Amino acid sequence: MQMKKTSISLLAALFFGLFAGNVQAQSQDSVHVDLNKAIEIAMSETPTMRIADRDVQIKQLYKKEQIVSLFPDVSIAANYNRTLLKQTMAMEMGGQSMSIKVGKDNTYSVGANLSLPLVAPALWSSLKLCSQDIELAMEAARSSKLELVNQVKQAYFGYLLAKQSLDVLKKSYANIEASNQLVTNSYNQGLVSEFEKLRSDVALQNQRPAVSSAEKAVRLANMNLKVLLGMNIDEPVIFDGSLSDYEDGVLGAQMPNENDIQLAYNSALRQLDLGIQELEQSKKIMIGSSCPMLALAGNFQYAGMGDDKQPFVNYPYSYVALSLQVPIVGWAATSYKLKQADLNIANMRDQRQDVERQLRIGVQSYLNDMQQAIEDIASDRETMLQAQKAYDIAKKQYEVGMNTWLDLNTAELTLTSTQLTYCQSLFNYISAKANLDAVLGNEK
């Protein structure tokens, strides 16, 4: 019997040891991620950034392809012919008609060709356009980065808001539960009516769906953030931080002056500027295509001819030449192309002006949201402290029988409402600040 008890104790110890080890392993496997780490993961794991980087590489390779056109182009050609039926030529000699067959049974040739552009304005302008294409691709990649960073920030702040709202509701549920327990004890002692106990029970039951909904919101925000970071939704990740971490920064924030805000680093405007430069460079290509072109050409050829019963006779041949092309009629079509380019440039300049106006409206809106959030936070913080004090007083008064459960419940609901409002005000500021940074092109 003693050995049986010992065996059971060992099995139980082994079971609890394995269970504790499993829990500890799961805890160790969880990865803690803050906002900066989340942005870093998104930069490396999101397909959008990899696609943008490849687009830049494609433009760079295309530029190198165009540069190769400036170097000499050398080609080697070889040819062999077997004559099946020789050509017959007829002629008159001394009043008599004669016909002879010309050519050999076998002919071959081997040669090398050389070409080098010396004066090619269109090609030079194309190289400049390739450089601008690379700049535009890099700016598009930066735009994708700014957009992704803003999306990660918004998703992260949304998760923090959902998590802190859940904490507030859980604390509210605990307060209502404690109040319900006081009411139950008072009812059992005959100090309160059954109606008051029923109201307390109903208030407790009504609070449970709110907590359940908040828990679902946290899970959904967590999954949304993982998907945005390119993670599996089942990965054990703990996102650190809370909205309260930004409280000191918000309260001490200095609002920028609208007149001091510059849109020089806004990606949309920079892409439009680069687009205008490309259109202007395209005009130069059109002009260059109608300008004279000078090229150097060379050829060396080694040919041989012979019959089946006779040896081959070899003939070397070579030359060097300058080729000049001067378009004459092409200028008529080019003039119309240039007018079309001017109209396209004017359209893009107007589009840029309209985009800049819209962006300034957006900047003003974000500044207003930030200013309003700062004012709300200062007011909500004071209101929240007062609500907390009122709840503590109402709870003490209820415990000594100086007020009713309705007064206590009203104080608790007011406290919960002010805490949720305070969290929302914090979120409004940091969310508007993130949007403003994205518009201004701030990459931090």
Side-chain angles (χ1 to χ4, degrees):
M1 180 64 69
Q2 184 67 26
M3 292 181 62
K4 185 175 181 180
K5 291 182 178 179
T6 303
S7 300
I8 294 174
S9 300
L10 289 174
L11 288 174
L14 179 61
F15 172 76
F16 286 111
L18 291 174
F19 177 76
N22 187 28
V23 172
Q24 185 177 5
Q26 291 179 354
S27 176
Q28 292 176 351
D29 290 340
S30 297
V31 179
H32 288 264
V33 176
D34 58 8
L35 178 58
N36 293 330
K37 184 64 176 179
I39 294 175
E40 181 182 346
I41 294 173
M43 291 294 104
S44 60
E45 298 297 332
T46 305
T48 303
M49 296 308 303
R50 294 197 295 268
I51 293 173
D53 292 338
R54 293 191 193 103
D55 289 339
V56 175
Q57 294 177 9
I58 290 173
K59 298 296 184 181
Q60 291 173 340
L61 292 174
Y62 180 73
K63 181 182 179 181
K64 293 179 180 179
E65 177 187 349
Q66 296 298 311
I67 292 176
V68 172
S69 302
L70 297 176
F71 292 92
D73 183 17
V74 180
S75 62
I76 298 177
N79 184 43
Y80 169 77
N81 292 330
R82 172 68 180 182
T83 303
L84 300 179
L85 183 62
K86 294 181 180 179
Q87 184 180 6
T88 301
M89 297 181 63
M91 63 185 68
E92 294 286 341
M93 293 187 65
Q96 294 183 354
S97 177
M98 296 179 58
S99 62
I100 59 174
K101 294 183 179 294
V102 297
K104 296 292 186 180
D105 294 337
N106 303 289
T107 60
Y108 76 90
S109 64
V110 177
N113 298 311
L114 169 68
S115 62
L116 174 64
L118 299 179
V119 179
L123 181 58
W124 299 336
S125 298
S126 296
L127 291 176
K128 180 64 175 178
L129 183 62
C130 290
S131 299
Q132 292 175 345
D133 278 340
I134 294 175
E135 291 184 38
L136 184 58
M138 294 178 65
E139 186 59 37
R142 193 177 79 93
S143 176
S144 299
K145 177 182 177 181
L146 291 172
E147 182 179 357
L148 180 60
V149 169
N150 189 35
Q151 290 178 354
V152 172
K153 286 182 178 180
Q154 298 296 340
Y156 203 96
F157 296 152
Y159 170 76
L160 296 182
L161 175 63
K163 185 175 68 170
Q164 193 149 336
S165 297
L166 176 61
D167 293 340
V168 171
L169 291 175
K170 282 185 175 180
K171 190 178 297 184
S172 173
Y173 182 82
N175 291 337
I176 294 177
E177 191 175 30
S179 300
N180 179 260
Q181 186 62 43
L182 288 175
V183 173
T184 301
N185 294 336
S186 299
Y187 173 77
N188 292 334
Q189 297 174 7
L191 300 177
V192 298
S193 65
E194 183 180 2
F195 176 70
E196 187 163 343
K197 181 180 182 304
L198 289 175
R199 287 199 301 180
S200 177
D201 293 339
V202 170
L204 182 62
Q205 294 295 331
N206 289 337
Q207 190 67 11
R208 289 175 182 172
V211 175
S212 178
S213 298
E215 291 174 344
K216 293 178 182 178
V218 170
R219 289 194 296 268
L220 182 60
N222 183 280
M223 290 188 292
N224 181 47
L225 185 54
K226 288 180 180 178
V227 170
L228 188 59
L229 299 182
M231 296 180 173
N232 192 310
I233 59 175
D234 297 327
E235 290 188 33
V237 179
I238 299 175
F239 295 106
D240 297 329
S242 66
L243 291 178
S244 300
D245 298 337
Y246 299 90
E247 182 178 359
D248 294 337
V250 173
L251 294 176
Q254 296 292 331
M255 288 296 298
N257 189 348
E258 181 186 359
N259 297 327
D260 296 335
I261 291 181
Q262 301 295 328
L263 296 174
Y265 293 98
N266 178 266
S267 184
L269 293 181
R270 295 185 68 172
Q271 290 185 64
L272 287 172
D273 290 335
L274 290 172
I276 293 173
Q277 294 176 15
E278 285 194 340
L279 289 177
E280 292 175 344
Q281 190 64 33
S282 298
K283 287 181 57 179
K284 296 181 180 180
I285 295 177
M286 296 176 191
I287 297 174
S289 300
S290 300
C291 293
M293 295 181 60
L294 181 64
L296 174 67
N299 174 270
F300 177 82
Q301 185 170 321
Y302 197 81
M305 302 174 63
D307 294 331
D308 293 338
K309 296 181 180 180
Q310 297 179 358
F312 281 82
V313 180
N314 300 316
Y315 306 96
Y317 170 74
S318 65
Y319 72 86
V320 176
L322 288 175
S323 175
L324 177 63
Q325 295 182 357
V326 182
I328 298 177
V329 183
W331 268 105
T334 301
S335 62
Y336 293 109
K337 292 180 180 179
L338 292 176
K339 292 178 180 179
Q340 295 175 34
D342 289 335
L343 293 175
N344 289 329
I345 292 174
N347 287 339
M348 188 165 288
R349 291 187 186 278
D350 288 341
Q351 181 182 356
R352 186 195 184 282
Q353 186 178 15
D354 183 65
V355 170
E356 184 176 1
R357 290 173 179 172
Q358 296 295 329
L359 288 173
R360 292 200 176 276
I361 294 175
V363 167
Q364 184 60 51
S365 177
Y366 295 140
L367 290 175
N368 292 340
D369 293 341
M370 292 168 60
Q371 183 63 44
Q372 185 63 47
I374 291 176
E375 297 174 0
D376 291 342
I377 289 171
S379 176
D380 295 341
R381 189 167 182 267
E382 183 66 24
T383 304
M384 184 176 61
L385 295 176
Q386 293 176 353
Q388 180 66 55
K389 185 177 180 180
Y391 171 77
D392 294 337
I393 294 174
K395 185 177 180 182
K396 292 294 183 181
Q397 289 179 341
Y398 183 81
E399 290 175 353
V400 297
M402 294 180 61
N403 62 7
T404 63
W405 171 87
L406 183 60
D407 296 329
L408 177 60
N409 184 64
T410 301
E412 198 285 326
L413 291 177
T414 301
L415 174 61
T416 302
S417 177
T418 56
Q419 290 175 337
L420 292 175
T421 302
Y422 181 72
C423 294
Q424 185 65 48
S425 298
L426 281 174
F427 172 81
N428 291 341
Y429 178 86
I430 58 179
S431 177
K433 180 65 166 58
N435 287 327
L436 180 62
D437 289 338
V439 170
L440 299 181
N442 297 332
E443 301 183 22
K444 294 182 179 181

